[in-house]
Amino acid sequence: MSAISREHLVTGDLAGRPGRIDRVETHRVTLPPGAASGPHTHPGGVAGYVTAGRIVYELDGHPAQELRTGSAFFEPAGATVRRFDNLSATEPATFVASYLLTGDQPLIESL
């Protein structure tokens, strides 16, 4: 029997997050070919993992980076996400995201 393996993917700092976290919601999200999220924020923050495709990811004040299958990401509560766009014009991109939420906070707010 093989041993269980754990590979660290991302750490998100919650020290500056105001308030408590009531729940975590995990969603599978599929971006259609060429889809662009537009500027947005996540009031409670989000951590995720790309399961298929290529995504360009850019937080305000940070350079854009390419996420590929197996890449993990963290968006702090209230951070402005400038881009989270599917780089393929022909294939969808899919990721799993865990949203940290308090009360009736929305998962995402467009800017």
Side-chain angles (χ1 to χ4, degrees):
M1 179 195 278
S2 297
I4 294 172
S5 173
R6 287 180 178 80
E7 177 185 359
H8 179 264
L9 297 175
V10 66
T11 297
D13 184 1
L14 300 178
R17 187 183 187 287
R20 66 182 198 278
I21 299 169
D22 288 336
R23 68 188 186 284
V24 175
E25 288 190 18
T26 301
H27 295 250
R28 179 180 300 112
V29 181
T30 300
L31 300 171
S37 67
H40 65 276
T41 188
H42 298 280
V46 61
Y49 178 84
V50 178
T51 58
R54 296 172 37 240
I55 296 168
V56 62
Y57 164 66
E58 182 181 359
L59 289 180
D60 200 25
H62 299 275
Q65 58 182 301
E66 184 177 327
L67 303 175
R68 295 176 171 264
T69 301
S71 297
F73 60 92
F74 177 72
E75 300 170 11
T80 298
V81 181
R82 294 284 169 208
R83 295 179 68 194
F84 203 92
D85 307 338
N86 184 348
L87 286 172
S88 175
T90 59
E91 298 294 325
T94 304
F95 60 96
V96 174
S98 294
Y99 301 88
L100 307 174
L101 300 166
T102 300
D104 61 355
Q105 283 180 320
L107 299 180
I108 185 172
E109 293 179 335
S110 295
L111 299 176

